[in-house]
Amino acid sequence: MNIVEVSHLFKRFGATQAVKDVSFEVSPGEIFGLLGPNGAGKTTTIRMILDIFKPDSGNVRLFEGKMEAGVKGRIGYLPEERGLYKDQPLESTLVYLATLKGLDEKTARSRLKGWLERMDLADCGKKKISELSKGMQQKAQVIATLIHEPELVIIDEPFTALDPVNTRLVKQVLEEQCQKGVAIMMSTHQMNQVEALCSRIVLIDHGSTVLYGKVNDIK
């Protein structure tokens, strides 16, 4: 079973053809790379997968069906832009975001304790998010993406603002999720990250598919 099936997606904004005839599949237990330069159409493709944008034509299937309310709880999404509440404490913000994904508060707090330790943020729970470094905020967003134990994780430039030590930490976390059978779709313009993590990729440029397949075959 494929977790994601994207078939012949097209999307235009005015005179700009942002995505034209993009197709690919993502399977359980793999880290799949959505690769391309800035402005290639990667984020637009992600937003169509998540039903934020409606495609002009083409189809998206998630878990062998359409996007529905129940499906959204099975997905974790880490956008490139940070979406945390700057004036709120880290712990209460992450608990709140977890409850939006269907967790009860007790379960959210229990899981969060382990996640804060795992991401070296155990001493930051009571701090306002605005008091945290950009790297700490990025790790907090990783927690918000994973705390409800999604089956599909979509991450857009996940290593933004991370130093080499924390980049390695987040890579380890993603690989652990992959080993659990989670499907991970990683959007990035950094080829070295793709080579380090992904087994398969689709390369998009100017909205169109340039390459699609196994990384080793493409190399």
Side-chain angles (χ1 to χ4, degrees), residues 28-193:
E30 77 165 330
I31 303 178
F32 181 87
L34 180 59
L35 180 66
N38 292 330
K42 304 188 300 297
T43 299
T44 299
T45 299
I46 288 173
R47 289 174 178 172
M48 286 190 283
I49 292 171
L50 293 171
D51 203 33
I52 298 170
F53 292 159
K54 299 291 185 183
D56 297 333
S57 61
N59 294 293
V60 174
R61 287 173 59 83
L62 299 171
F63 304 99
E64 299 189 311
K66 294 183 178 181
M67 175 66 85
E68 298 173 343
V71 171
K72 292 182 179 180
R74 301 168 71 181
I75 300 171
Y77 175 42
L78 191 158
E80 185 175 6
E81 303 84 7
R82 293 184 183 87
L84 301 172
Y85 300 105
K86 298 282 183 132
D87 294 330
Q88 298 300 314
L90 175 63
E91 183 177 325
S92 60
T93 297
L94 292 177
V95 168
Y96 171 68
L97 293 174
T99 61
L100 294 181
K101 286 293 188 177
L103 294 185
D104 61 83
E105 185 174 338
K106 183 178 179 181
T107 301
R109 290 189 180 280
S110 175
R111 290 185 186 178
L112 181 58
K113 182 180 179 182
W115 272 113
L116 290 175
E117 292 174 354
R118 180 75 176 87
M119 302 300 278
D120 296 327
L121 294 172
D123 297 330
C124 300
K126 304 304 180 184
K127 291 184 178 180
K128 288 184 178 181
I129 290 169
S130 60
E131 297 173 349
L132 304 179
S133 69
K134 291 181 179 179
M136 289 177 174
Q137 291 180 36
Q138 184 70 359
K139 290 193 292 182
Q141 290 214 148
V142 172
I143 295 173
T145 304
L146 299 176
I147 192 170
H148 62 291
E149 299 181 355
E151 299 165 66
L152 167 64
V153 173
I154 300 176
I155 48 178
D156 198 346
E157 300 292 355
F159 306 110
T160 300
L162 296 180
D163 61 29
V165 171
N166 284 310
T167 294
R168 184 167 63 249
L169 173 61
V170 172
K171 282 182 179 179
Q172 290 171 348
V173 168
L174 294 177
E175 288 170 339
E176 289 166 7
Q177 294 294 311
C178 183
Q179 291 165 7
K180 293 177 182 178
V182 175
I184 299 175
M185 183 176 150
M186 182 176 77
S187 172
T188 183
H189 65 277
Q190 300 182 44
M191 188 64 199
N192 62 315
Q193 304 291 3

